[in-house]
Amino acid sequence: MAARPYRQVARESAVRGTEQQIVEAFATLMETRWFDEVTLDEIAAAAGTTRQTVIRRFGSKAGVLSALAAQQDSTIRTHRWQDTPADIAGIIGILIADYERSGDLVVRTLNQEDRIPEFGAVLDQGRRGHREWISDMFRPWLDRREGSRRDDLLAELLAVTDVWVWHLMRRRQGHDAERTQRLMTQIVERLLRED
């Protein structure tokens, strides 16, 4: 009887490992392909498993997407909330590090939002998380304002810290991460000084 719980734990661990491989394979495919181009068979092959296993674990490709979104959200929250920086440069540093890890996949997902209904909930969750983090990190500046002035500042901070700004500077203008961080920090500092 003692061996059964051990086998159960080992089996659960193997299932989690397989699920993680599937999610990672899907993320890798999504870095270079559009959602509607990726098939369950390709996900399974990249994960070293079968199509039926993917279906059994996640139900559908949308289920794998949801699992990836939950994992990304957890990772972002872990990285963003692990420290409370003392200054604007520190806040932007955390943001840039996050965008360097996940920004390309987020932008690729955003580019498909209008075509793929399943992306709506995933991206809305990310937007809520970003808003919550920006509200928390910039609380000292936001709390100095009231009513519409506070709302306006939050809207401006959300705009200038959006992943699209990172994408524009890093991928379109060709700046390295360090310069992108410096430029975004300067934008935010000017915004906060204006008031």
Side-chain angles (χ1 to χ4, degrees):
M1 293 297 273
R4 183 179 171 95
Y6 174 77
R7 280 196 303 264
Q8 193 74 10
V9 169
R11 185 174 185 281
E12 288 173 13
S13 179
V15 166
R16 280 193 302 275
T18 300
E19 289 174 353
Q20 184 60 32
Q21 288 173 327
I22 292 167
V23 170
E24 288 174 4
F26 178 66
T28 300
L29 289 166
M30 287 291 293
E31 288 174 2
T32 58
R33 309 264 302 282
W34 300 112
F35 179 79
D36 46 3
E37 294 174 341
V38 176
T39 67
L40 287 172
D41 288 328
E42 290 172 320
I43 296 168
T49 189
T50 65
R51 181 179 201 271
Q52 190 56 41
T53 298
V54 175
I55 292 169
R56 189 169 46 250
R57 300 287 182 246
F58 298 100
S60 65
K61 190 166 58 170
V64 183
L65 173 66
S66 293
L68 173 60
Q71 183 178 341
Q72 288 284 334
D73 184 61
S74 176
T75 300
I76 288 168
R77 287 180 176 277
T78 298
H79 289 290
R80 285 196 186 182
W81 267 279
Q82 67 187 352
D83 294 316
T84 303
D87 59 7
I88 296 167
I91 294 169
I92 301 302
I94 289 172
L95 186 68
I96 295 300
D98 177 38
Y99 287 161
E100 289 294 315
R101 273 188 302 276
S102 62
D104 288 321
L105 182 58
V106 172
V107 167
R108 190 163 186 77
T109 304
L110 286 164
N111 277 320
Q112 299 174 77
E113 182 176 18
D114 292 336
R115 294 188 305 116
I116 311 294
E118 294 89 348
F119 283 15
V122 168
L123 292 168
D124 285 345
Q125 178 181 350
R127 289 180 185 108
R128 283 190 302 274
H130 182 67
R131 182 185 188 92
E132 181 183 339
W133 186 76
I134 291 296
S135 296
D136 191 42
M137 291 295 112
F138 290 97
R139 185 169 316 286
W141 293 274
L142 290 165
D143 286 349
R144 292 181 198 143
R145 292 150 181 86
E146 294 179 2
S148 64
R149 287 182 63 236
R150 186 185 197 283
D151 294 342
D152 288 351
L153 179 58
L154 177 58
E156 291 165 340
L157 286 167
L158 289 169
V160 300
T161 60
D162 193 87
V163 69
W164 284 112
V165 175
W166 168 85
H167 177 76
L168 176 66
M169 291 184 178
R170 286 285 280 130
R171 304 299 182 233
R172 297 294 176 240
Q173 295 179 1
H175 302 305
D176 62 19
E178 185 178 321
R179 184 166 188 208
T180 298
Q181 180 175 335
R182 182 173 54 78
L183 292 169
M184 287 181 73
T185 298
Q186 290 171 355
I187 291 168
V188 172
E189 286 173 342
R190 277 195 295 272
L191 176 63
L192 295 176
R193 269 197 312 265
E194 280 179 9
D195 205 32

